[in-house]
Amino acid sequence: MEHPDPGADVGHLRAEGVAIIAGSVTDLAGVTRAKYVPVARLGAFARSGMGVSPSWSVFCVDSGIAFTPTIGVAGDLRIRIDPEDLRVVDAGVAWAPGTLNDQHGHPAPLCTRTLLSRVERAAADRGLDVRMGGELECTMLSADGGPATTEPWSPYGIRTSLDRSAFLVDLATSAERAGLPLEQLHTEYGHDQLEVSLAPDTPTATADAVILARIVLGRVAARHGLRISFSPVPFEGAAGNGAHLHLSLSDADGPLLSGGDGPHGLRTAGAQAIAGVLDTLPDLIGVYAGSAASALRLKPGNWAGATACWGLENREAAVRLIAATPGNPHGANMELKLIDASANPYLAAAAFLGSALRGIGRHLELPEEIPENPAQSGVDTPALPLGQREALDAMETSDVAAELLTPAIVEALVAVRRYESKTFGGLPPAQICDALRLAWTC
Ligand code: GLU
Ligand code: MG
C-alpha cells in the first residue's frame, strides 16, 4: 500500500541541525501565526498542509475573534508551504511562508498571499515587471517589554550603533544565514529605534522577506536580552515606526518612473501609477495604517506621509518619489510612506500595486506635486480619514476596496479592525501604546 504521506528529502535540513519547521500566515490584524511540524513531516506540510480553523482569518491583535456571518466555528483550512522557501531562522528551526488553502487544495478566499500573487499576475499580463522593496522600522525593548535604555539617544549616532554592535553583527550574520537580503541596518531617529531595509524583489518575495526580517530581528533581540516592537507608536510621544514600501514598474520600453517627459522624468504610465496610488488612499488607509495605534503616528511632522500628495524626495508626502540618479542604483521608485507594520504586508502590497495598475488602466491624471512640507505649501490636498473609525467607514463602503481586495477580505478586515476599535480605540493614547506594543512582534 502506498504511504499517504510520503516524506520529503530533509537530509540537508537535518545537516543544518533543523528539528522543527514553521509555516506561517499573516492575518488581517497583521499578526503572523504559525503551525510547526517535526522536520520528518515536511512532506505533509507541503502536500496536504496543516489544519487551521477558518477563524484564523479573523483573529484580532489580542486573543479576540471577530466572527462574521460567514466565518464561524465550523470548517477547516490548510496552511501549505513550499520546501524551496524554507529558511533557517533560529537554532533547530526552519521557517517558510504559507498559503491558506481549503481541504481540496484550492486557495482560500481570505488568503492574502494568494491575492498578492493574483495582482502580480495581472501586472505581468499587462507586460509589466514589478519590483518592491521593504523597510522595517522598529524599537528595541527590554526583555519585559519596557524601554530598553534611558540614556541619551543620538539619532543615527555612530555611538548608538557601536554600543549595539554585538546585536547588529548578530543581525547581519543571522540575516545572511536566513537568505534575507539586508541592504542597510542602522539606529534611527527615535530612542532605541532601529531600521533595516531590504533589497527590491517581486512583491510576494518582498512581503515574505518582511515577515522573515521580523522573525530574524525578534530572534536576534531575544539572544541579546531584548525584544522588538514594530508598533506604529510603541510609547506615547515616541517616534513612530513606519513599514514603508517602495514600488517600481517597467515595461518593454524600460522603467515607467524615469526616462519620460513628465515631471522628474515620469513616463505617462508612471504618472498614472502614482495618481492611482493617491486616488485610492482614502479607501485603503484602513489597509495600510488601520490599527488603533496607527492614527497616533499619522501626524504632520512625523515624516509618516500623513498627507494625500506626492513629491520628489518629500518625506511628509504619502507618496515620495525617488528619482533615478547615480546615487540610486535601483532606479526610480515611489515610496508609500504612510504604511505601518500593523498592515498585513501581502494585503498592503496587493493594495499598493493594484492601485498603481488601476491608475494606469483608468489613465488617471497626476495631481500637482507638493515639493515641500505640505503643512507649509498652502495647497489643499484631499482629506484622509486618519482616525481608525473613519478609515474603517471609508473602507467598508468602498467599491474600490472591494474591487482590489475582494469583498470577502474587506468584510473580514473591517470586522477585525472594528473589534480592535471597540476594544482599544477609546483608551487614552498611552494605554493604546501599552496594549499593542508587542502585537506585531514575531
Ligand atoms: N519614522 C518615520 C515613520 O514613522 C519615518 C522616518 C524616515 O523617513 O525614515 O514613518
Ligand atoms: Mg526610516
Side-chain angles (χ1 to χ4, degrees):
M1 195 179 111
E2 207 181 315
H3 196 285
D5 170 21
D9 177 12
V10 294
H12 62 292
L13 293 169
R14 287 195 194 280
E16 284 198 76
V18 171
I20 54 173
I21 286 172
S24 72
V25 290
T26 303
D27 68 19
L28 295 168
V31 177
T32 301
R33 304 182 195 273
K35 279 258 172 145
Y36 292 77
V37 296
V39 66
R41 289 263 293 154
L42 172 61
F45 215 155
R47 270 183 288 271
S48 43
M50 294 300 133
V52 299
S53 153
S55 60
W56 271 45
S57 298
V58 285
F59 280 173
C60 301
V61 281
D62 57 3
S63 310
I65 307 178
F67 290 114
T68 71
T70 46
I71 305 173
V73 293
D76 209 26
L77 296 173
R78 296 284 178 274
I79 300 181
R80 282 166 71 179
I81 60 168
D82 182 343
E84 298 282 313
D85 292 335
L86 281 170
R87 303 278 184 266
V88 177
V89 292
D90 207 354
V93 187
W95 161 91
T99 50
L100 267 185
N101 296 268
D102 66 20
Q103 288 166 308
H104 303 285
H106 304 125
L110 294 172
C111 179
T112 54
R113 196 164 179 261
T114 301
L115 173 78
L116 178 56
S117 65
R118 276 197 210 115
V119 181
E120 271 191 80
R121 264 202 308 281
D125 290 347
R126 291 188 197 193
L128 293 173
D129 183 58
V130 182
R131 286 286 171 272
M132 236 180 233
E135 293 176 8
L136 295 91
E137 292 180 335
C138 56
T139 305
M140 291 175 283
L141 306 174
S142 61
D144 65 3
T149 63
T150 51
E151 71 197 27
W153 185 257
S154 163
Y156 311 102
I158 181 94
R159 172 184 61 79
T160 53
S161 295
L162 286 175
D163 284 352
R164 288 151 189 85
S165 60
F167 175 95
L168 295 177
V169 168
D170 193 357
L171 179 58
T173 311
S174 302
E176 197 165 309
R177 182 169 187 222
L180 179 68
L182 283 196
E183 291 231 310
Q184 283 192 42
L185 62 168
H186 58 264
T187 44
E188 245 279 359
Y189 184 83
H191 197 96
D192 290 329
Q193 195 179 29
L194 288 178
E195 173 163 348
V196 303
S197 48
L198 307 175
D201 205 329
T202 65
T204 301
T206 285
D208 289 343
V210 165
I211 300 302
L212 177 58
R214 287 189 203 167
I215 294 170
V216 170
L217 272 160
R219 291 305 85 212
V220 173
R223 284 198 287 276
H224 293 263
L226 299 167
R227 304 184 85 176
I228 293 286
S229 171
F230 295 97
S231 173
V233 182
F235 297 98
E236 188 186 12
N241 287 317
H244 314 156
L245 285 176
H246 295 249
L247 170 66
S248 63
L249 304 147
S250 311
D251 65 11
D253 294 326
L256 301 191
L257 298 173
S258 60
D261 301 330
H264 310 296
L266 293 175
R267 288 173 57 200
T268 304
Q272 293 165 345
I274 296 176
V277 173
L278 290 174
D279 189 58
T280 59
L281 270 187
D283 302 72
L284 299 181
I285 194 166
V287 173
Y288 302 135
S291 78
S294 296
L296 303 176
R297 166 177 168 264
L298 291 177
K299 306 234 163 89
N302 280 355
W303 294 15
T307 308
C309 65
W310 74 280
L312 181 72
E313 293 291 6
N314 189 342
R315 287 179 174 77
E316 281 287 334
V319 176
R320 167 186 173 210
L321 177 66
I322 296 144
T325 62
N328 168 23
H330 291 310
N333 62 84
M334 61 167 126
E335 179 186 24
L336 185 63
K337 285 285 282 181
L338 61 63
I339 183 171
D340 67 48
S342 70
N344 172 317
Y346 300 95
L347 188 63
F352 187 20
L353 175 57
S355 297
L357 297 179
R358 179 177 171 275
I360 298 171
R362 293 184 169 226
H363 307 290
L364 293 185
E365 197 176 324
L366 184 64
E368 181 188 347
E369 177 184 9
I370 308 263
E372 70 243 291
N373 188 342
Q376 283 144 24
S377 73
V379 178
D380 280 338
T381 52
L384 281 178
L386 295 178
Q388 188 184 32
R389 233 174 301 147
E390 295 75 20
L392 294 179
D393 290 346
M395 185 163 66
E396 188 168 32
T397 53
S398 163
D399 292 338
V400 169
E403 173 199 322
L404 296 182
L405 309 176
T406 75
I409 287 181
V410 173
E411 181 194 46
L413 177 59
V414 168
V416 164
R417 294 301 195 199
R418 284 226 189 277
Y419 168 97
E420 221 180 83
S421 168
K422 273 196 207 107
T423 312
F424 304 104
L427 299 177
Q431 285 181 35
I432 298 178
C433 294
D434 283 350
L436 300 181
R437 193 171 300 132
L438 288 165
W440 300 282
T441 297
C442 288

